[in-house]
Amino acid sequence: MDIENKVIVITGAAQGLGKTFANDLAARKARLALADINMEQLEQVRGACEEAGIEARAYELNVADEPAVEKLFEQVVVDFGTVDVLINNAGITRDGLMARKKDEEIKKMSLANWQAVIDVNLTGTFLCGREFFVKLLEQKKPGVCVNISSISRSGNLGQSNYTATKAGVAEMTVTWAKEMARHGIRVGAIAPGYINTEMVAAIREDVKQKIIEQIPIRRLGDPSEISHSVFYILENDYFTGRVIECDGGLRI
Ligand code: CAA
């Protein structure tokens, strides 16, 4: 697929990897439908994309809200006339150990923190993928869906909720690729390692240093290094049903 002029929906576009994808795809002259729950920050991203000379629109969206996701894809097709690509990126963390004993006090991961991450990262990814495919089938056209998994899909201390969702996202990618190939639709995923975003910045400094020491390349990834993987999935017409691991060699 040629990226230029394609209509690309990016969820979670107000910050982190989503914001970088928006800027980097604007530089490649895509047309962008940017969605996020945080409209104030999203407007800034939209403005920056427009300055790159492309059409960019901002949409308020909670990816876990089924009617809202259905409405978003309806509206994108009305506004742009079509849709070609989904970057299924919105995600949150609520890190904490399952059960932890410190100074005789036992703490545990709350059900609320479990559910919040499942709702956004797993249900949200499912809903956005489904509605994107519905629109492609209605229009009888090919397209590409890029899911964002994580190195944490293989298990990570303090992330029971997040690992469950990111493993689910990786395996849904394989399933969707098998289901959608007959319609000319490809589905790929990226499992980033520790990338220099707000999410990683929020990790306690001492813990973050321990993590960086374990990365063979000895540094955090740059968000644009993950955009590079997005470009690869979009541009390689033989790529589907697989997960690109871009993590500085951290995953064993
Ligand atoms: N590697 C090595 N050691 C680690 C570690 C890691 N990844 N994570 C935690 N530890 C260590 C801590 O340093 C601590 O060691 P000591 O007991 O020797 O001091 C021990 O494990 C217990 O941890 P805490 O004292 O920090 O326990 P806590 O209850 O205060 O906090 C926690 C638990 C919130 C999970 C915290 O350890 C933490 O934030 N860990 C990092 C979790 C993480 O990797 N999150 C990724 C966020 S970014 C992201 O998710 C994007 C992505 O896709 C990768």
Side-chain angles (χ1 to χ4, degrees):
M1 171 183 276
D2 186 3
I3 293 172
E4 192 171 337
N5 285 327
K6 291 298 182 299
V7 175
I8 301 184
V9 177
I10 306 173
T11 64
Q15 64 285 302
L17 287 179
K19 175 179 170 179
T20 300
F21 297 154
N23 289 326
D24 292 347
L25 286 163
R28 299 286 297 262
K29 302 295 173 210
R31 301 164 71 203
L32 299 178
L34 309 170
D36 204 288
I37 209 158
N38 183 339
M39 279 310 275
E40 211 177 302
Q41 277 179 227
L42 190 64
E43 271 302 331
Q44 290 174 18
V45 177
R46 190 190 62 78
C49 291
E50 265 187 357
E51 277 173 28
I54 60 129
E55 180 183 1
R57 293 171 188 267
Y59 302 87
E60 188 169 6
L61 177 72
N62 171 3
V63 292
D65 178 345
E66 184 178 31
V69 174
E70 289 168 346
K71 200 171 136 213
L72 169 82
F73 283 90
E74 291 288 340
Q75 196 58 47
V76 166
V77 171
V78 169
D79 292 344
F80 288 87
T82 190
V83 62
D84 301 287
V85 171
L86 167 65
I87 314 286
N88 217 348
N89 163 74
I92 60 168
T93 53
R94 293 286 184 276
D95 290 354
L97 301 173
M98 278 290 277
R100 180 193 200 304
K101 190 172 184 182
K102 200 173 187 183
D103 306 327
E104 292 312 305
E105 190 200 350
I106 296 182
K107 285 203 316 199
K108 59 189 182 184
M109 177 180 280
S110 70
L111 181 60
N113 280 352
W114 165 265
Q115 197 61 52
V117 175
I118 298 289
D119 287 348
V120 175
N121 299 13
L122 193 60
T123 307
T125 298
F126 160 75
L127 288 173
C128 291
R130 189 190 69 184
E131 292 311 307
F132 172 62
F133 295 145
V134 166
K135 285 288 157 260
L136 292 180
L137 294 185
E138 281 174 3
Q139 295 183 72
K140 299 190 181 64
K141 62 179 291 189
V144 183
C145 174
V146 180
N147 292 330
I148 305 300
S149 179
S150 164
I151 188 171
S152 300
R153 74 184 169 125
S154 309
N156 189 31
L157 196 150
Q159 292 200 298
S160 294
N161 44 10
Y162 191 81
T163 54
T165 65
K166 294 301 184 179
V169 167
E171 301 317 318
M172 284 198 294
T173 301
V174 181
T175 303
W176 297 356
K178 288 180 174 172
E179 291 185 12
M180 304 313 291
R182 75 193 66 182
H183 304 290
I185 299 167
R186 295 187 294 107
V187 188
I190 304 164
Y194 285 81
I195 309 301
N196 200 0
T197 61
E198 297 89 329
M199 202 179 254
V200 168
I203 301 174
R204 224 175 56 216
E205 198 49 41
D206 60 313
V207 175
K208 194 163 55 187
Q209 285 316 316
K210 278 190 187 176
I211 293 168
I212 292 172
E213 280 165 23
Q214 295 167 45
I215 303 172
I217 286 188
R218 288 283 187 277
R219 65 168 174 86
L220 300 177
D222 185 87
S224 279
E225 288 165 336
I226 306 304
S227 293
H228 195 266
S229 301
V230 171
F231 296 161
Y232 175 79
I233 293 175
L234 296 184
E235 291 179 335
N236 188 333
D237 291 330
Y238 198 58
F239 188 89
T240 199
R242 294 291 175 266
V243 182
I244 296 177
E245 297 180 322
C246 189
D247 54 23
L250 179 58
R251 181 165 173 254
I252 305 161

